[in-house]
Amino acid sequence: MPAPEELLHSVFGFPEFRPGQAEIVAAVTAGKNTLAIMPTGGGKSLCFQLPALCREGVTVVISPLIALMRDQVRALREAGVEAGALTSGNTEEETEAVFQALDDGRLRLLYMAPERLSASGTQVLLKRIGVSLLAVDEAHCVSQWGHDFRPDYLRIGELRRALGVPLAAFTATADEETRAEIVTRLFDGAQPETFLRGFDRPNIHLAFAVKDQPRRQILSFAAARKGQSGIVYCATRAKTEGLAAALREAGLAAVHYHGGMEADDRRLVEGQFQREDGLIVVATVAFGMGIDKPDIRWVAHADLPKSIEAYYQEIGRAGRDGAPAETLTLYGPEDIRLRRAQVDEGLAPAERKAADHARLNALLGLAEAVRCRRQVLLGYFGEAAEPCGACDFCDSPPEIVDATEAVRKALSAILRTGESFGAGHLTDVLTGTTTEKVRGRRHDELPTFGVGRDISKGEWAAIFRQMMGRDLVRPDPERHGALRMTEAARPVLRGEETVAFRRDTVRAKSRTVVKALVAEEDAPLLSALKAKRRALAEAARVPAYVIFTDRTLIEMAERRPETLDQMAGITGVGAKKLDSYGAMFLEVITGETAARIHPARRKLAGRDAGTLYDRLLEAHGRLTRGGDGTEKPLSCSASLIAKVAELRPRDGAGLTRLLGEARAERFAEAFLEVLADE
Ligand code: ADP
Ligand code: ZN
């Protein structure tokens, strides 16, 4: 049997293992019972796919989602691996082909839906075909406490005993409870060899923003990433529909998705998202488990998620391919009230509620972080880390101020008004604003009246929000969200503890510069490569990433292989794919370089006007559909741009003479800027 390293290169086209993979592959290949906990996108599939190829016999893969299985099977076939699936989604021919391959002894990986395990005859079938390894994806589905519980998963342990083969279980869910349950149910309580991979996803940029104009915030975040696949999570079904419509109105490709939709419609959206490049799905958390798209470039939360685990899982859907991905989570006092109320109004026992509040607190602590967000997030999972350089805090650290005095004033106002009022009224009291309510309750006679005049109302809003975020105060669900002091606030009130807050972030500029996936000079080639991929994917009716992932195309655009040998060195280009697609993509790369040199440009080669031409062309490219990308297409010919580069008109009039009125209106300003830079 071939060595894993060798297959890693030849079949999967990866130069090396990701952290943690090598050990897991070794253990699974050696036939040990294993439990591997890896973050989403860590590369779990490889950890059973490679051993399957290194071992004799068939590896049975149990996975909860049909769509996901089908995609993995397609991807494996693309890589030249004999794989098949038995699911209720199969056509008769597909099933037929799977059995044929089994009978011929060709099949290496057999994917199976858990429902199949309860069918009579399944065990007999699996015994007959010589199964040598069981792999269980999303193993946390055996946990009755988790929200992904699949009753059929409970049969897996029995199957393992009946077949007497090793079992490898994989999950991204980390908590102790779930882990223990997996060991009990899948391994009869005998501790398997366990691998726990770090939780860091360094390619995912983390950012939070206080809700200001939430719709506008989401729209501009999405518009800045036009053409990239993304998910917007919303707290309610109605909101998904409204926001998706708003995005479409802004000229973006967006659809909504929630649990209230017909199953068929949901399936449609899932399929479309999986296949297409650059679709935005605006969804409730119902959109998730079925999504195995490695090239999701961004995830935005229009509302605060319910816990730090939920947050981590949801943002974790971005950037599985390892290429840069962006996230943005919006939150505000209303979100905190909503999430608290959901916990309080739930039917869970008291200790569960306390745990849920704690999970929410952890997320709020992250939202109001006073240091690197990744440090806070990983800290929650028990990992130490250096400041990451890839979160909004590291990008531009907010001012951190000692808020102890202000917090004590606020607490005192809360206590003196009988813990019966919300932030609005309390702010009026603190700032000495005599409203009717203040006068009516005679709160203008309190000693705290007006003690916070030196702080603006906006700043008080931020302080109250952060006090809620730190769980120093909680909205009282029985009293319309009146704020109550918590135990955690006592040491602050007594002067035993200090509090540091962020100087408010509401008005802080959000990042408008979008980091490009590749350097400017590689961008045209990258889009040409993507176009090629799209064409091939459409022809083969598979998702684009099944051909090549973004990561692979980015590497092609950057390294520009000129021969098939060099092409083989690109991450993600295995032997089979090199054979199927290598030449076609090579043509894009080499042909592209040749075609890009327009005769008009060639004449300028080696002269200053040459680089000037390039910069004009670049500015031109940005404006062909107007500054906001929505106007009628209008462009200048290459020779016209060459003329501008040679003659270098100094002012608008000179440019207009060259370009004509219409083009001057569109391009003159940008061209003059380029020319002035010379
Ligand atoms: P998950 O852990 O979420 O199941 P996947 O198995 O889907 O992750 O892998 C995520 C992505 O990482 C896939 O696109 C896969 O091809 C890629 N990948 C896995 N292992 C490697 C590796 N050693 N080198 C490069 N890319 C890899
Ligand atoms: Zn950071």
Side-chain angles (χ1 to χ4, degrees):
M1 284 282 129
E5 287 270 349
E6 220 170 275
L7 294 174
L8 182 72
H9 307 314
S10 67
V11 176
F12 296 92
F14 298 143
E16 59 199 0
F17 283 114
R18 290 235 183 108
Q21 284 179 326
E23 301 92 279
I24 301 172
V25 166
V28 177
T29 307
K32 296 191 176 131
N33 281 333
T34 46
L35 167 58
I37 299 132
M38 278 176 118
T40 312
K44 287 185 280 293
S45 336
L46 187 90
C47 298
F48 55 81
Q49 292 171 345
L50 243 190
L53 302 181
C54 294
R55 292 168 59 87
E56 304 276 355
V58 179
T59 293
V60 168
V61 184
I62 296 160
S63 169
L65 284 144
I66 294 175
L68 202 144
M69 276 190 266
R70 294 173 74 90
D71 283 336
Q72 285 209 1
V73 168
R74 280 204 208 110
L76 282 168
R77 291 228 184 103
E78 281 293 331
V81 176
E82 288 275 1
L86 287 180
T87 74
S88 55
N90 279 26
T91 61
E92 225 162 276
E93 294 85 64
E94 283 171 330
T95 305
E96 197 59 24
V98 171
F99 280 108
Q100 191 57 53
L102 279 172
D103 288 341
D104 299 349
R106 279 185 283 122
L107 205 77
R108 310 310 311 276
L109 286 115
L110 176 62
Y111 282 75
M112 240 183 196
E115 293 75 34
R116 192 95 193 178
L117 300 179
S118 53
S120 66
T122 295
Q123 263 194 34
V124 181
L125 168 76
L126 295 182
K127 276 196 175 139
R128 181 170 64 82
I129 61 173
V131 173
S132 60
L133 173 66
L134 279 177
V136 180
D137 207 358
E138 315 286 352
H140 61 279
C141 291
V142 293
S143 165
Q144 272 160 309
W145 294 112
H147 40 78
D148 296 331
F149 176 57
R150 289 302 193 97
D152 288 309
Y153 261 58
L154 296 175
R155 297 175 176 274
I156 297 174
E158 177 194 322
L159 180 68
R160 182 185 63 81
R161 276 191 303 271
L163 295 174
V165 297
L167 187 150
F170 298 85
T171 178
T173 302
D175 64 276
E176 294 276 355
E177 278 173 344
T178 314
R179 244 184 279 170
E181 221 176 331
I182 292 173
V183 174
T184 314
R185 306 224 180 271
L186 295 185
F187 300 100
D188 290 330
Q191 191 66 39
E193 196 142 326
T194 303
F195 301 88
L196 181 60
R197 275 312 309 167
F199 283 86
D200 193 15
R201 301 280 309 281
N203 60 316
I204 300 182
H205 185 272
L206 308 176
F208 282 70
V210 175
K211 280 185 188 176
D212 179 11
Q213 295 167 285
R215 180 166 281 198
R216 190 193 52 74
Q217 285 168 297
I218 295 290
L219 283 176
S220 68
F221 183 81
R225 288 158 185 81
K226 193 170 178 175
Q228 301 182 354
S229 303
I231 306 177
V232 182
Y233 281 111
C234 301
T236 65
R237 291 173 178 182
K239 191 161 176 182
T240 64
E241 300 186 8
L243 198 49
L247 286 164
R248 281 195 298 274
E249 218 153 276
L252 298 162
V255 292
H256 67 266
Y257 181 106
H258 56 68
M261 285 159 60
E262 296 287 337
D264 284 348
D265 294 339
R266 290 208 306 261
R267 203 92 354 103
L268 219 61
V269 173
E270 287 166 6
Q272 197 186 353
F273 184 62
Q274 198 83 0
R275 258 188 335 271
E276 283 179 19
D277 247 354
L279 183 68
I280 301 169
V281 177
V282 186
T284 60
V285 292
F287 189 67
M289 264 280 279
I291 311 310
D292 188 33
K293 191 176 168 63
D295 53 356
I296 299 171
R297 293 271 68 87
W298 57 267
V299 169
H301 285 101
D303 300 296
L304 187 79
K306 75 171 194 266
S307 68
I308 194 159
E309 281 88 355
Y311 166 78
Y312 178 77
Q313 202 171 54
E314 284 150 24
I315 62 160
R317 301 202 167 107
R320 286 192 191 198
D321 55 6
E326 300 260 351
T327 66
L328 173 68
T329 302
L330 299 185
Y331 69 105
E334 279 311 316
D335 291 279
I336 305 180
R337 265 192 280 279
L338 172 77
R339 293 305 186 189
R340 290 258 181 252
Q342 283 174 340
V343 175
D344 287 328
E345 288 157 16
L347 298 168
E351 75 263 33
R352 188 97 199 166
K353 283 188 181 176
D356 286 344
H357 277 302
R359 291 189 172 125
L360 175 57
N361 286 347
L363 179 60
L364 292 170
L366 182 61
E368 305 286 10
V370 289
R371 62 194 176 111
C372 165
R373 297 210 193 266
R374 200 171 308 268
Q375 285 186 315
V376 176
L377 178 63
L378 293 177
Y380 177 79
F381 291 120
E383 277 180 43
E386 295 294 309
C388 72
C391 73
D392 56 347
F393 193 97
C394 289
D395 295 341
S396 51
E399 193 186 337
I400 305 299
V401 291
D402 182 345
T404 314
E405 220 20 69
V407 168
R408 290 175 66 183
K409 285 177 182 167
L411 290 172
S412 139
I414 288 171
L415 294 176
R416 287 185 191 274
T417 52
E419 299 187 298
S420 313
F421 298 90
H425 181 72
L426 292 167
T427 301
D428 287 338
V429 173
L430 285 161
T431 53
T433 314
T434 6
T435 62
E436 231 163 84
K437 192 166 168 187
V438 166
R439 225 176 291 117
R441 311 263 171 171
R442 303 174 64 175
H443 286 163
D444 48 354
E445 292 165 22
L446 292 174
T448 24
F449 184 73
V451 293
R453 271 202 191 91
D454 52 328
I455 297 177
S456 74
K457 289 198 170 180
E459 284 171 290
W460 275 116
I463 290 167
F464 277 110
R465 191 196 67 240
Q466 294 187 67
M467 286 172 72
M468 281 198 260
R470 294 285 177 83
D471 205 18
L472 300 174
V473 294
R474 269 194 203 182
D476 184 343
E478 323 249 278
R479 295 209 258 172
H480 306 293
L483 293 175
R484 275 181 172 283
M485 189 174 104
T486 66
E487 281 307 307
R490 275 186 207 290
V492 182
L493 195 62
R494 283 199 300 258
E496 295 161 10
E497 258 177 34
T498 59
V499 228
F501 276 175
R502 302 164 68 102
R503 170 86 70 194
D504 204 7
T505 39
V506 173
R507 298 285 161 205
K509 260 206 314 232
S510 57
R511 271 188 359 144
T512 41
V513 227
V514 178
K515 253 197 272 125
L517 289 174
V518 292
E520 225 166 79
E521 68 267 22
D522 297 330
L525 179 53
L526 181 60
S527 47
L529 291 167
K530 281 189 171 172
K532 182 86 211 166
R533 175 179 68 177
R534 193 175 319 125
L536 289 169
E538 270 164 21
R541 310 186 56 118
V542 296
Y545 65 81
V546 168
I547 310 284
F548 284 128
T549 62
D550 281 0
R551 174 82 190 279
T552 298
L553 296 191
I554 290 168
E555 208 177 309
M556 281 185 200
E558 283 172 346
R559 290 181 33 196
R560 303 189 179 222
E562 286 170 3
T563 62
L564 278 177
D565 287 336
Q566 290 174 5
M567 184 62 108
I570 301 285
T571 305
V573 184
K576 171 83 190 304
K577 287 196 181 174
L578 183 67
D579 194 36
S580 324
Y581 307 121
M584 283 187 263
F585 282 84
L586 206 54
E587 209 172 282
V588 176
I589 295 165
T590 50
E592 173 72 17
T593 351
R596 270 189 344 166
I597 304 182
H598 191 278
R601 166 71 176 85
R602 222 175 292 143
K603 275 194 254 148
L604 303 178
R607 294 163 42 191
D608 280 352
T611 44
L612 188 52
Y613 172 100
D614 293 341
R615 294 180 44 218
L616 288 167
L617 186 66
E618 195 267 324
H620 169 261
R622 274 186 278 122
L623 293 171
T624 49
R625 304 228 37 194
D628 57 3
T630 60
E631 285 168 45
K632 268 213 311 272
L634 182 68
S635 56
C636 306
S637 68
S639 41
L640 190 53
I641 294 176
K643 228 180 245 163
V644 175
E646 271 187 310
L647 299 175
R648 302 180 195 218
R650 282 283 152 225
D651 51 23
L655 256 180
T656 312
R657 269 197 299 281
L658 280 176
L659 300 179
E661 287 290 349
R663 292 199 167 77
E665 192 175 48
R666 177 82 52 98
F667 301 107
E669 197 182 331
F671 282 5
L672 284 173
E673 230 176 84
V674 172
L675 291 165
D677 264 346
E678 262 319 278

